[in-house]
Amino acid sequence: MLRNQVQLITYPDSLGGTISDVERFITEYLQDAIGGVHILPFYPSSADRGFAPLTHLSVDPAFGTWEDIRRISTQYDLVVDLTVNHLSYESEYFQDYLANGDGSPYASMFLEVDAFLERHEAELDSLSGLYRPHPSLPFTTFKLWDGTTKRIWTTFTNHQVDLDVESPKTRLLMQQFIDTLVANGANLIRLDAVGYTVKRPHTNSFLIPETYDFIEWLRSVTPSRVDLLAEIHHDPQKQMELLASNSVEWVYDFSLPLLVLHALQVGNCTYVRNWISIRPSTQITTLDTHDGIGVIDVQGLLPQSDIDATVSRIEHNGANAMMRANGLSADNLDIYQINTTYYSALGEDDDAYITARAIQFFIPGIPQVYYVGLLAGSNDHAAFAKTNHGRDVNRHNYTHDEIKEVIQRPVVQRLLRLMRLRSNHPAFQGDFTLKSGTEEHVLALRWEHEDVYCEATIDVQQKTVHVELVHPHTKQVEVEQY
C-alpha cells in the first residue's frame, strides 16, 4: 500500500545531474516533507526527455545505476514509468527489424500500416477518427536494409515507434520490463500513454474495449503488491470508467489544475467544489507535471466559455514566449495541453500559488509535486528558444548552486511547510469532509482521524489559507496561516 503522503516528481538529471543528486536533494531538503518519489524515465533514450526509451532493462549510465534506484526505494515509495505504447526507433528491437525485415524475431512487435489495414480489411480513411495529441496522421516511413520502405505507426514522434501490444513477442518483452522494475523497488508503475496502445479501424483507437483487455493483462502479470497508475488525458468520465474496471489502482486527477486556476482567476470555487464532491478518491493529484496543464481534462466540468477565458489568462501571464511554446511552430505540439509552469500560469503570485497547493493537498488522493513547482519555477524562455520544444518551458535543470538559492525563497519555504503538514499530520489518514454552507469563494476541507482533525479554510478570492488543527501530541487546538 502506498503511503498517503506527498510525492516528488523529478527527472533523474534535473536536481544536480544524476540520480544520486536527486537523493542528495531529498536528504537535504525533503526528508520530512515527502513519502514517495516519481523518478521520470531514467532509461537509455533517444528523445522526449526519456519517453523514447531504448529499453527498460537498464539505467542510462549518465544518470546512475540500478543501485541508485534501489537506494531511494528503501526510503520512499518509488514510482517509475513503463512506456507501454512505444519504444525508440534506435532500440535494438526496431534496429533489428530495419536490418532484417520480416525475418527479424522482433518484426511482429511493430505496427506496419499497410499490413495492419490488410489484417483488418480496412482502408486508410478508416483511421480518420484517431484521437491523438498532434494534428497529423501517426505514420513515419522507414527504409529497410534492402532499400524498401515501410510506413510504421508512430503516435507521438518519429523517434517513438508504436508497439503492437497484442503481439506475444511484445507481451513477453513487456513482462520482462515489469519484472525488472519490480525487482529494483518499484511500488507504483505508471502506464505511460496506455490509452493509445490498441488500434482498430473505424474507431478513435483510444481506450477502446481491447485497450481495457490489455490493461487487465498488465495487471495480471504485475505482482499484487505493486500498484498501477494509468496516464490518461481525456474527459474525467474516462478516468472513472477505468477505475471502475478494477484493472488499475490509480488514475491522475488531471482535471484539478485548470479548475483551480479558474477558481483563483475569477475568485469563485463553484466548479472546483463540484468536482471535489464527485471525484474518486483513488487519484494521484497534480497541479503540474513534466507535460502541460490539461485542457481536455475539464470537458463537462467547466463551461467552454470559462475554459477559453482561463486559457487566455494563462497565456497572458506566460507572455509571448509561452504562446509560442503552444503554437503551431513549436516542436511536439500539444493540442490538449498548455505548456507553462504552474507558478507562471498564476502570474507568479506567491499567495495564489500557496492557495492552489492547499486545495491540492487537502482533497483526497496522493498529491504529487513536480520539481519545478516545488521550487516555484518560472517559464524557462531560454530553454524553449534553444530547443523549440514547447514543454521545455517547464523542464528547467537546476544546478546545486541554483537550488541553494531558490530553496530559500519565501514561497518555497511556505510550500515546504504545507507539504510537511500534509505528509505528517495523522488526520489525513482518516475521513474527509467537504463542508457545506460556505461562501462561493471559500472552500472548507476537513480531515478527521480518531481524536485529531485538520481543517483548511481556503479563500480563492483573498488567496488565504487558514488551518485549524489538533496537535497530534499535545492534543491542543492550534491555528496556522500558510
Side-chain angles (χ1 to χ4, degrees), residues 135-148:
S136 59
L137 284 174
F139 313 139
T140 300
T141 300
F142 290 93
K143 182 178 289 189
L144 274 65
W145 63 278
D146 60 358
T148 60

Side-chain angles (χ1 to χ4, degrees), residues 317-348:
N317 287 338
N320 291 336
M322 203 221 79
M323 286 186 273
R324 290 196 304 274
N326 294 284
L328 288 170
S329 62
D331 289 341
N332 203 22
L333 170 67
D334 291 310
I335 61 175
Y336 302 132
Q337 301 179 100
I338 308 168
N339 294 311
T340 178
T341 75
Y342 210 78
Y343 188 60
S344 287
L346 286 166
E348 302 181 10

Side-chain angles (χ1 to χ4, degrees), residues 1 10 115 216 237 240 261 315 331 349 373 388 393-394 424:
M1 180 178 293
T10 182
E216 289 176 7
Q237 186 61 37
M240 296 183 186
L261 283 166
E315 290 179 340
D331 289 341
D349 181 329
N388 201 41
V393 299
N394 189 28
N424 295 300

